[in-house]
Amino acid sequence: MSAVPLRNNKPAASSLRSITVLGATGSIGDSTMDLLRASPERYQVEALTANGNVEGVVKLAKEFNARFVAVADESKLGELRAALAGTGIASGAGDSAIVEAAQRPADWLMAAVSGAAGLKPALAAVDRGATVALANKECLVCAGDFFMDRAAKAGACILPADSEHNALFQALASGSREELTRVIITASGGPFRTWAAADIEQATLAQALKHPNWSMGQKITIDSASMMNKGLEVIEASYLFALAPDEIDVLVHPQSIVHGMVEFRDYSVMAQLGSPDMRTPIAHCLGWPDRIPGRAAPLDLAKIGALTFEAPDYARFPGLKLAYDALRTGSGATTVYNAANEIAVAAFIAQKIRFGAIARLVEATMNEWVRAGNLAPLSSADDAIAVDHKARKMAATLLPQIAAKAS
Ligand code: NDP
């Protein structure tokens, strides 16, 4: 049975739900807390986590009367304990404390730690058969070989929180797997949608951070500008819904109103629409299988007027095509794609490489990985983390020559 549930797999409704938010101080965390804040009588916060933002997570813990708070940065334990003194809220620090937060018995958990660091805590929640709203893409991109299988075996319920996958999740309910012909993930096209390749090559950090529609964390905003984010989402969709690369299309849709579509064999296409605000897909996950009141602006299509669509340009956005290559290669190649991209984005932020070099570094790392004969299926978090570390090292080694090369 798939870990992504069908509508009729309805769990018993409980009046008070206990909630854990991993990555509570981030952009997704903020949207999640906003939804919880709107109906405090419905939720008991079990655990909240952050990386190093003690002030932010403690403020939330006090507001929501959380039972446990963890920060990943071990050096902040003293600061955390001092800030929580007298509250009775338990606390911990280090990666193991984030895993402990995930293991605590919450009914519903938001997995919104950024990056590969989110994998082990998400797996800890999956292993206890939890209902997990999955925002962290890296869980699937780095560990897709086994993440969903493990979730299915543990009886965990994975609710896709990323807007495009949440849209597909909603649209998929209109037909069976056998009736599906393809899914379509939309992409805003980012700030460089209409730019010439030569201008994209030279784009600055400030230009890359100006997303036309969505307000998100820095890394994902840069990934949107390079369309690497869409590549990560193609990989995510493949693992989440067990789809072949050929069954996943990307369509550029600058207004970001249609988030995803599913085409069935009679050529009916079911779409999910909404304002570009992560609180809508998160509300869908939080309420599932029921619907709770949303917090985003209601959609006013008359005001928007026109919805437009165009094919993606793989020549100007080569990172998107590389995602399909990684999926077809399999056996850890998607982990390499993600790791190399994280190194490339960090180098771009540090002004060590040009914007155009992000995709070149990812491609060079993937090629070197295959050439070195490193491909092997991944079966555990440790396997995935080992590939992630090795690929990061390889990307860091290749970085100077990519940085030196003109486009
Ligand atoms: P942010 O950078 O805004 O927040 C990340 C959160 O994770 C923060 O709470 C941060 O803590 C915490 N964190 C960072 N590093 C670690 C670590 N090593 N160990 C433990 N906790 C850590 O990210 P977003 O909220 O934008 O994104 C979170 C995830 O959701 C990502 O995987 C992203 O791809 C995905 N996503 C995001 C969307 C969005 O709209 N933002 C949309 C769809 C998916 P601190 O504040 O202390 O640094």
Side-chain angles (χ1 to χ4, degrees), residues 23 25-28 51-53 72 112 114 117 135-138 162 216 278:
T25 50
S27 163
I28 294 286
N51 186 18
N53 183 354
S114 55
N136 175 287
K137 299 173 201 290
E138 292 80 1
D162 204 349
M216 306 181 287
M278 283 306 293

Side-chain angles (χ1 to χ4, degrees), residues 272-352:
Q272 186 265 352
L273 286 72
S275 301
D277 186 322
M278 283 306 293
R279 288 176 299 181
T280 301
I282 296 171
H284 179 257
C285 293
L286 190 57
W288 188 89
D290 300 321
R291 291 197 185 257
I292 59 171
R295 299 273 291 162
L299 189 58
D300 185 346
L301 283 174
K303 198 166 161 197
I304 295 163
L307 299 181
T308 60
F309 302 92
E310 54 200 67
D313 182 341
Y314 295 102
R316 284 185 305 128
F317 298 99
L320 180 56
K321 186 188 161 288
L322 290 173
Y324 283 94
D325 294 345
L327 259 183
R328 290 191 178 102
T329 305
S331 299
T334 59
T335 316
V336 177
Y337 174 86
N338 178 65
N341 182 49
E342 287 196 17
I343 294 293
V345 171
F348 172 67
I349 293 171
Q351 301 191 340
K352 288 186 189 154

